[in-house]
Amino acid sequence: MSDYQAKPPRGIDAVGASEEGASVYELIRDDIISGRLKANARLVVADLAKRHHSSSNPVREALQLLRGEGFVTLVPNRGARVRAIDQDFVRDIYEIGVALEPRFTRWFVRMATPADIAGLERLQQAMEANDFADPVLHSDLDTEFHTLMYERHYNRLATEIWWKNREVLRAVTRGYNFTLARRAQLMREHRRLIELIRQGDADGAAALIEQHVEGAGQHVLEQLRASTAALAG
């Protein structure tokens, strides 16, 4: 697997925590996604600090971050609990992308430079060369592809929301595989998107990116349903 990792848009902190808080956050999030921490499990600061050889403050930092991402719920007088990673959770996350990315794309097309288009071409060629052989590399390149389009958008809050929700979705779906049909469709849509940007067709590019993000979200839901059914069987 590649050690390449996509970087967040400029000016956005990838995690937003101290070094130790970020480390504990990664560990707890991985426990939730993997199922080691079950849905509705109570998250006790002292227990988590002991488990991850940490003090209580980094654990509290981590829980606040996880709450912001939707992995954890905090109920007054009842403490923190694990939220179920179910179809509703995934739907809510990807629908944010469906709402934001067409607006970002329409704006990008109107200000894209030849250097921007060359950057998209470079990333697309790298994805095609990888051909999904290294799924982590594909995910990072795909994230960089979309980040190149959105990172200069004037609405920094919206950009940060997009980034963090995309990272949540990437974390949840990292064990899923693309079908051959979905792989081919993704590459076709990327190629068509670059062409629309080159032509300056903002409306066409925005419509395509909405279809692209909606299709990705539906594919994830299908994978989640299949995984849930397999576990139930």
Side-chain angles (χ1 to χ4, degrees), residues 8 28 50 71 97 109 152 160 166 168-169 175 184 193 231:
I28 298 175
K50 182 178 180 180
F71 286 111
V109 172
R152 298 198 302 277
E160 183 171 4
R166 183 180 177 92
V168 169
L169 199 58
L193 180 62
L231 290 174

Side-chain angles (χ1 to χ4, degrees), residues 106-222:
R106 187 175 282 106
W107 177 87
F108 174 75
V109 172
R110 291 168 179 158
M111 53 75 65
T113 66
D116 291 328
I117 295 170
L120 293 176
E121 284 280 5
R122 173 183 59 81
L123 291 164
Q124 180 60 23
Q125 288 169 7
M127 277 186 274
E128 290 169 355
N130 178 55
D131 195 24
F132 296 87
D134 182 339
V136 175
L137 177 58
H138 172 83
S139 179
D140 285 336
L141 289 168
D142 183 57
T143 297
E144 188 177 352
F145 182 96
H146 288 270
T147 300
L148 189 156
M149 295 170 59
Y150 310 151
E151 67 178 350
R152 298 198 302 277
H153 194 272
Y154 61 87
N155 191 326
R156 304 310 296 160
L157 177 59
T159 307
E160 183 171 4
I161 290 170
W162 166 77
W163 168 264
K164 290 187 174 179
N165 278 275
R166 183 180 177 92
E167 287 297 284
V168 169
L169 199 58
R170 284 216 296 163
V172 169
T173 61
R174 64 190 175 192
Y176 296 160
N177 294 316
F178 293 101
T179 63
L180 292 176
R182 182 62 190 160
R183 292 178 184 183
Q185 184 178 8
L186 286 171
M187 294 302 95
R188 283 197 305 271
E189 288 175 352
H190 272 199
R191 275 290 167 199
R192 178 58 180 157
L193 180 62
I194 293 172
E195 186 57 32
L196 290 168
I197 293 168
R198 184 179 287 112
Q199 294 170 3
D201 186 350
D203 290 339
L208 178 58
I209 207 71
E210 181 174 1
Q211 173 188 320
H212 184 71
V213 178
E214 177 75 31
Q218 289 297 324
H219 185 72
V220 171
L221 285 177
E222 289 168 8

Side-chain angles (χ1 to χ4, degrees), residues 42 54 115 123 202 204:
R42 189 162 175 248
S54 172
L123 291 164

